[in-house]
Amino acid sequence: MPSNKPEPLSEAVKKRMEEQPRTGTEPELELRRILFADGLRYRVNYPVPGKPRRTIDIAFPRRRVAVFVDGCFWHSCPEHCVEPSHNREWWREKLARNVARDRETTELLEGQGWCVVRLWEHLSPREAADCVEAAVAAV
């Protein structure tokens, strides 16, 4: 029976999505370099407690601080997200699922006593590091 669910535009789009880095993006690497240079030690791609298929980009497990560096497109940044012009319904559903998963992950971690810091990739690395360092110092 055919599905009513929209499909990706093409195999080329599917291939690009699969090749898109999920971890170690440039904004994430720049943030990690600054945090390390400032003397902070952290874990990378730390499993979300209770959700083994999800990971925290940068984690401070002893202090229970979870840092996520969210891409503007993939996580629907209100300033920079541009709706794709092709196959809009499929993309709308895909991005909405990403946002819902982010919200669920944040609520789960906060319910376990974690401080969750969500940063947009468009923040300057120094500004992002200042946010993280303030959160780590506050706990």
Side-chain angles (χ1 to χ4, degrees):
M1 173 179 270
S3 171
N4 290 336
K5 190 173 183 180
E7 292 297 322
L9 181 63
S10 66
E11 282 301 313
V13 170
K14 185 176 178 181
K15 185 174 191 247
R16 270 197 314 259
M17 285 177 60
E18 289 170 352
E19 291 173 352
Q20 184 74 24
R22 295 171 196 259
T23 62
T25 62
E26 193 58 36
E28 192 178 320
L29 292 174
E30 290 176 15
L31 173 59
R32 287 173 19 200
R33 282 186 204 109
I34 292 172
L35 294 174
F36 192 87
D38 288 352
L40 293 177
R41 299 301 178 256
Y42 47 81
R43 303 286 302 273
V44 177
N45 301 325
Y46 191 79
V48 172
K51 292 287 184 182
R53 293 190 53 176
R54 296 183 194 176
T55 59
I56 300 167
D57 295 336
I58 301 169
F60 300 87
R62 287 189 185 143
R63 294 191 176 248
R64 296 179 86 95
V65 174
V67 180
F68 295 92
V69 181
D70 293 337
C72 291
F73 174 76
W74 295 103
H75 299 269
S76 300
C77 170
E79 289 182 48
H80 299 106
C81 185
V82 177
E83 189 172 280
S85 57
H86 298 288
N87 209 5
R88 286 184 182 185
E89 187 58 32
W90 186 88
W91 280 108
R92 193 173 291 128
E93 289 176 19
K94 165 70 177 146
L95 298 177
R97 285 192 312 270
N98 289 354
V99 170
R101 185 174 53 248
D102 292 345
R103 191 176 313 113
E104 179 189 8
T105 300
T106 296
E107 290 171 1
L108 175 72
L109 287 167
E110 288 176 345
Q112 296 175 6
W114 287 71
C115 170
V116 178
V117 179
R118 286 203 170 268
L119 305 167
W120 290 112
E121 71 177 347
H122 66 258
L123 283 178
S124 77
R126 181 73 258 170
E127 187 178 359
D130 290 345
C131 291
V132 173
E133 291 171 3
V136 170
V139 293

